[in-house]
């Protein structure tokens, strides 16, 4: 259970770091630049804690997919980036892909026990 909590927090902090990266304007704004460092350092630290109990394939697929989806949503709502059918379809495919990877990881874990 701790692994999932660490992973969820790592994803949120990675999204925070990415958002701050946009706001840092090429590291020319001090506080968003500090936010980048804090966000990414914290995210990678928590991700390493999550990997103590979660399989790498599951954790990384969830990390990258959820981070991509959340960052795209923030880009659309906060920064006014385009949000059209193709982008929504791509996000759906990412989420579906994560679900498939997670389902296959669960089956692999069950088959290893037997």
């Amino acid at each position: 259970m701790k692994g999932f909590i660490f992973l969820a927090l790592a994803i949120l902090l990675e999204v925070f770091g990415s958002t701050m990266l946009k706001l840092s304007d090429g590291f020319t704004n001090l506080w968003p630049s500090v936010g980048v460092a804090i966000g990414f350092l914290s995210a990678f630290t928590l991700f390493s804690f999550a990997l103590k109990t979660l399989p790498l394939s599951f954790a990384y697929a969830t990390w990258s997919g959820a981070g991509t989806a959340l960052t795209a949503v923030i880009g659309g709502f906060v920064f006014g980036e385009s949000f059209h059918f193709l982008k929504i379809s791509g996000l759906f495919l990412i989420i579906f892909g994560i679900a498939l990877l997670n389902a296959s990881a669960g089956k692999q874990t069950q088959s290893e026990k037997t």
Side-chain angles (χ1 to χ4, degrees), residues 15-65:
V15 171
F16 170 78
S18 296
T19 304
M20 291 297 103
L21 192 59
K22 172 79 171 169
L23 294 173
S24 76
D25 196 28
F27 294 108
T28 58
N29 295 325
L30 176 64
W31 294 114
S33 299
V34 171
V36 170
I38 291 170
F40 284 124
L41 288 171
S42 301
F44 279 104
T45 300
L46 291 171
F47 187 61
S48 72
F49 294 161
L51 290 176
K52 288 181 178 183
T53 58
L54 298 176
L56 177 62
S57 60
F58 164 81
Y60 192 75
T62 304
W63 157 288
S64 60

Side-chain angles (χ1 to χ4, degrees), residues 37-104:
I38 291 170
F40 284 124
L41 288 171
S42 301
F44 279 104
T45 300
L46 291 171
F47 187 61
S48 72
F49 294 161
L51 290 176
K52 288 181 178 183
T53 58
L54 298 176
L56 177 62
S57 60
F58 164 81
Y60 192 75
T62 304
W63 157 288
S64 60
T68 300
L70 286 172
T71 302
V73 170
I74 288 173
F77 286 109
V78 175
F79 299 113
E81 296 173 0
S82 66
F83 217 76
H84 47 77
F85 176 75
L86 285 177
K87 185 177 276 190
I88 293 168
S89 298
L91 292 174
F92 173 77
L93 290 172
I94 289 169
I95 292 166
F96 183 70
I98 292 169
L100 286 177
L101 283 169
N102 292 342
S104 71

